[in-house]
Amino acid sequence: MACAASCSMAAATTAASRVNQLSARKATAVAPAAAASPAAARRVRSGRANTVQVCAAAVQKPWKTSDCRLVLEDGSVWPGQSFGAKGTVVGEVVFNTSLTGYQEILTDPSYAGQFVLFTCPEIGNVGINAEDMESASDLGKVHMGGMLVRHLSLNVSNYRSISTLPDYLEKQNVIGISEIDTRAITQRLRNKGCLNGVITTDATKTDADLVAMAKDWTIVGKDMISEVTCKAPYEWSAETDEEWEWAANAKVKTTPAGTYHVVAYDFGIKSNIMRRLATFGCRITVVPATMPAAEVLAMNPDGILFSNGPGDPSAVPYAVQNAKDVLGKVPVFGICMGHQVLGQAFGGKTFKMKFGHHGGNHPVRNLKGTVEISAQNHNFAVDPATLPAEVQISHINLNDGTCAGMMYPAMKAMTIQYHPEASPGPHDSDPSFEDFVKMMADHKK
């Protein structure tokens, strides 16, 4: 009790001292006003200190204020803080639910023409490294139009980091915006579907002008593949580094390097797709998306890969025709955009989804009845109702029941809508590469 009373008295003494100091400061602040103005004197006498006008010198804020806007085609405006490049850019806004791998997402050519909103609340904490670039044909290039994040990490901590995220985006001339409500925007995209948007650091542009710019743009009907494909053929033989290898068959090298020659149509191919093929014994020749099928077949491949890529699959009839021309001649494997191109070559049609699949946590059930947690990135899908009866639906997305894979045994063709190479993402679907290798081995017998 004595201790409590002593503490109470000490607290009271301290509080009284603080009040006296505050009163003294207030008196000092209002004294000149009282001397200069009877009204001010009356305010002081009445004790209404809250009405005293104190003019402080202008002080530069030590933190960055809002200097950037995201304006969506529905008229909503989201002010935030810019990082990376400056300017104005338009694109389709999609959200990605991956918790890791923002660098791989940045450099994935499949995101050309899009702004990626990350639902993970903090981005940039591991910086940028030289090993995780996924843009194979133009190493290190960022293909997405803009980066949307809730919070940009102030610190970078990773033993492989060679650059901060803002510095990297500035060199790549890509705009980023942070301190926006990514949860609210994600909910808006889920309810309304993908929306076009404009990111700008230009304060002279009105919101109405930016809304009009967003409404005038569309990714539907655009051939984005031609913007990301390689200009000339090249060879690839690099495998997955030993320290990152996880597949048992790859570790014991059941198939010697270079056993199978795969020609890969580059629709925006990711580096890790080729690393995985090379790891399972393939030598890869990457060719431009427009190379005629006859020239590809003249290379005498054991198999042909139709890779991932951006944009509308119905806008690339040349790719569909090439796929038709090789079907049945050698085994073929389609990934993501390649899946959609082959779906059309089979005789089916594609459609645009409401908000697509973007992230590393999408469940897919295969014909064996097992479930794979997959990495996905696509806004279009194959309509299974338009496919011929000979085509089997081999994989189904368990979130919405869409077609996630096909098998066409008579044509020696297999496809998956998602990314078996992950990067980033889980490794559940990696056996797809082994399935393709087995198909080529059976074909050579």
Side-chain angles (χ1 to χ4, degrees), residues 215-226:
K215 288 181 175 180
D216 287 343
W217 190 88
T218 181
I219 201 169
V220 177
K222 278 193 186 323
D223 174 9
M224 304 297 296
I225 290 176
S226 60

Side-chain angles (χ1 to χ4, degrees), residues 270-315:
K270 292 175 65 180
S271 299
N272 213 44
I273 289 177
M274 293 186 289
R275 290 194 195 100
R276 297 314 293 155
L277 284 172
T279 297
F280 288 111
C282 298
R283 172 176 63 88
I284 303 102
T285 301
V286 184
V287 300
T290 55
M291 178 171 283
E295 294 183 28
V296 168
L297 292 172
M299 297 178 181
N300 195 29
D302 297 306
I304 297 175
L305 173 75
F306 293 86
S307 83
N308 62 289
D312 185 346
S314 68

Side-chain angles (χ1 to χ4, degrees), residues 331-342:
V332 298
F333 183 20
I335 295 176
C336 201
M337 172 61 78
H339 160 91
Q340 297 161 10
V341 166
L342 283 170

Side-chain angles (χ1 to χ4, degrees), residues 327-380:
L327 281 176
K329 296 180 173 65
V330 294
V332 298
F333 183 20
I335 295 176
C336 201
M337 172 61 78
H339 160 91
Q340 297 161 10
V341 166
L342 283 170
Q344 294 175 86
F346 295 163
K349 296 181 179 179
T350 59
F351 65 94
K352 193 174 191 300
M353 306 170 75
K354 184 176 180 181
F355 48 79
H357 299 152
H358 311 277
N361 51 3
H362 291 253
V364 171
R365 187 179 67 240
N366 58 37
L367 282 176
K368 301 173 185 176
T370 58
V371 174
E372 306 166 15
I373 303 302
S374 64
Q376 304 209 7
N377 172 27
H378 62 103
N379 263 12
F380 293 83

Side-chain angles (χ1 to χ4, degrees), residues 161-182:
S161 178
I162 58 173
S163 172
T164 67
L165 177 58
D167 288 346
Y168 176 61
L169 289 188
E170 184 175 9
K171 292 177 182 177
Q172 292 288 317
N173 197 33
V174 174
I175 301 176
I177 179 172
S178 65
E179 302 306 319
I180 56 175
D181 192 341
T182 52

